[in-house]
Each structure stands twice: as C-alpha cells, then as structure tokens.
Amino acid sequence: MTTALLTHPDCLKHVTPDGHPERVARLDAVLSALEGKDLLRIEAPLGDEAHIERVHPRAHIDHVKASEPDAGQVPLDADTWMSPGSYAAALRGVGGAVRAVDMVLGGEVQNAFSACRPPGHHAETAKTMGFCLFGNVAIAAKHALEHHGLSRVAVVDFDVHHGNGTQDLLESDPRALFISSHQYPLWPGTGHPSETGVDNNVLNVPLAPGTDGRQIRAEMEAKILPRLAEFAPELLLVSAGFDAHRADPLAGLNWETEDFAWITEQLCDVAEAHCDGRLVSCLEGGYDLAALAEATARHVDILIARGQAV
Ligand SMILES: [Zn+2]
C-alpha cells in the first residue's frame, strides 16, 4: 500500500519574525526533500473546530482565532507568534493529522506523514506554547478514539523537547499511551520520569545533554518498545521532531540522520506487530534546515518502503 503526504500552501503563510527558528523555510526545506518520492499527495483540509474542542476549551480556540493580526506579527506568549494566515495554517495542521488518521484507518493508505506548521506538541489545554497553537497529534488521537471507536492509541514523540502539550491533553485518558524521549534538562522543563499519567499511561524518557544516538537506541530497546508491546496499540501516532539532530541549534543532543531512520524502522515494526502497520506521523520541530530536510527524507523513505511491503 501507499504512504500519504498531507500538507497545504496555507502552512507557508504562517510567518514568524525575522530570526525566529520556526520559520517558513522549514516547510519549504521539508517539501523540497520529499519532491519526487512515491507518495499520495493530499491537501490537508481545514481542521474542524469540533475536533479541536475534544482537547481544548472553546475559549482557547476563540482566543487563538481573535489573536490573528491583520498585518505584521503578534506574540501570544514568549515564543509563539501569529501573522495573517496563521489561524488557517493551524487548522491545516489539525486537519492534516485528522485526515491522515481517517485515511489510514479507512484503508486508503498504509501510513501517512503530515507536513504542516505551526507544530503542535507544546500546546496545552488552554495555553499556546513553544510555537504551538493546537495539539494536532492529541486531537488526532482523540479522533481515532472517539470517532473511529478505537480502544488503544499510542503516541511516540521523539522531538528533542518534551511533548508537554500532548501529555497534558492525553494523560487523563487511559485509552491513550504517551511516550516522549527528550533532552533533559531542557526547555520546557517537564518530562521527568515521575510524570506517569493517571493510569501509568505516560512514559517519559529523559536523555542527558550531549548524548548520541546510542543512548536513545538503548532506551528504545529497554523501555519504549516493551511498553508499546505491552499496550498493544491499534494505531500508532508519531510526533516527528528532528531537533535531536547534532546540527540543530536549539538543543544539545548528537543524533545522526541514521538514528532517526533506525527509530522509524522500530516504530514501523511496532505498527506491523500490533496495528496492521497503521502509523500516522506529524512534523514537529527541527531547526537546522539541511538536517531537517535530510532526516525527514529518511523518515519518509522508510514509511514508503514499509508501507509498500505490507
Ligand atoms: Zn522541539
């Protein structure tokens, strides 16, 4: 079967101030790197606000919508900005993730990659944070549970920063398992192993600054893969951030591109063992353009190869 790529030109209209790391050029780099690949290319639809309301209160949606300026850029918090077009871009991120779930669970494709921005995994219940407005992956998980009636959905977040938003949005739902590997200590400061969710449904795997891919490979084998096997998800969602790469300017881990490839292979193994190969990956961080492009291309190449093999 095939792999879907979901994106939309609206995601290039979310403009941040000069020098901001989460910039339009990131998505240009990702899409250039995916040109010519054997992907089913789908326009990410605008997300449905009713889907967002499964995790964010109406007041948060209204606040984000009302904050969009008519010109220039405005900050919503220390790191998160909006420009004209940002609200539509954020809705494309939600819609891309939800549509990807529909396509994978509907048997249209084997797996999918949603290449949208702004990212989502830092957005908390009623709080924008860390470049993120809405929790795309958590919304997709709730859609799989509520709309498609699944019983168990797992999220693996390998962005270098803790996925505090996704944890906040899913930790009270024992049908969801949230696993995050991240540099620790590092902003946002959360992600200690003592944070385990309401039903032991959160697993935080901290990684010391300066460590290379050998540590995450060991942690995957010792902790993450056994927990996924025990949970036996019916769908695997991935928060794919590429800022643990050694070239990334925002953090201090030393992963190589091949470490992202290895992790992707492991996650595809989990999906094949438990979910009939059903996996949806969504772009999160990654701020060195060359490393982002190269690691995303390897990630998607593996999704394509594994999708065609099933
Ligand atoms: Zn990050």
Side-chain angles (χ1 to χ4, degrees):
M1 286 175 73
T2 49
T3 296
L5 171 66
L6 297 100
T7 187
H8 195 282
D10 281 357
C11 297
L12 301 168
K13 295 177 183 164
H14 168 61
V15 179
T16 50
D18 287 348
H20 194 287
E22 203 296 287
R23 56 205 193 277
V24 172
R26 296 182 61 241
L27 185 55
D28 284 329
V30 164
L31 295 178
S32 294
L34 301 181
E35 267 175 24
K37 294 193 185 297
D38 186 9
L39 292 158
L40 179 60
R41 291 163 194 275
I42 300 289
E43 281 206 341
L46 290 169
D48 187 331
E49 291 182 0
H51 295 166
I52 303 174
E53 284 189 86
R54 288 191 175 119
V55 301
H56 297 291
R58 183 73 231 176
H60 176 77
I61 301 171
D62 291 341
H63 167 64
V64 172
K65 190 191 292 189
S67 297
E68 181 176 287
D70 295 326
Q73 295 117 21
V74 297
L76 276 68
D77 56 58
D79 304 304
T80 312
W81 292 72
M82 288 184 79
S83 70
S86 290
Y87 189 67
L91 289 185
R92 298 291 178 188
V94 171
V98 168
R99 178 81 181 101
V101 166
D102 288 339
M103 293 182 79
V104 167
L105 293 182
E108 295 174 65
V109 293
Q110 185 60 52
N111 52 38
F113 183 65
S114 180
C116 291
R117 58 177 287 281
H121 74 146
H122 295 306
E124 296 189 347
T125 302
K127 191 172 159 186
T128 64
M129 196 168 157
F131 321 153
C132 301
L133 301 172
F134 299 128
N136 304 326
V137 170
I139 293 165
K142 289 287 190 181
H143 182 70
L145 294 165
E146 302 292 341
H147 177 75
H148 291 280
L150 297 193
S151 303
R152 294 178 311 282
V153 174
V155 177
V156 174
D157 183 333
F158 61 73
D159 188 281
V160 79
H161 302 96
H162 177 233
N164 61 295
T166 308
Q167 176 173 305
D168 183 49
L169 300 177
L170 294 180
E171 67 181 348
S172 61
D173 189 339
R175 300 172 300 173
L177 170 66
F178 176 65
I179 300 177
S180 177
S181 64
H182 42 270
Q183 182 180 323
Y184 191 93
L186 182 68
W187 187 95
T190 49
H192 190 272
S194 63
E195 300 164 28
T196 56
V198 293
D199 192 34
N200 203 31
N201 60 324
V202 169
L203 173 63
N204 281 305
V205 179
L207 303 167
T211 54
D212 62 20
R214 283 173 296 185
Q215 189 183 0
I216 184 57
R217 292 183 190 219
E219 297 281 16
M220 285 276 301
E221 288 173 343
K223 296 175 185 168
I224 296 174
L225 298 176
R227 177 64 69 87
L228 285 166
E230 178 188 10
F231 185 73
E234 297 165 298
L235 172 68
L236 183 58
L237 302 179
V238 179
S239 264
F242 298 94
D243 40 8
H245 197 284
R246 64 183 308 123
D248 199 274
L250 292 198
L253 292 190
N254 288 318
W255 296 9
E256 306 284 355
T257 296
E258 282 312 302
D259 293 313
F260 293 96
W262 183 87
I263 290 167
T264 307
E265 294 276 16
Q266 306 308 307
L267 296 176
C268 287
D269 284 347
V270 169
E272 284 177 24
H274 301 285
C275 324
D276 295 325
R278 301 184 301 198
L279 182 153
V280 170
S281 176
C282 298
L283 179 66
E284 300 284 1
Y287 303 98
D288 178 87
L289 296 185
L292 171 65
E294 183 180 272
T296 305
R298 287 290 286 132
H299 178 66
V300 173
D301 276 342
I302 288 162
L303 297 184
I304 294 169
R306 298 294 292 263
Q308 289 175 345
V310 171

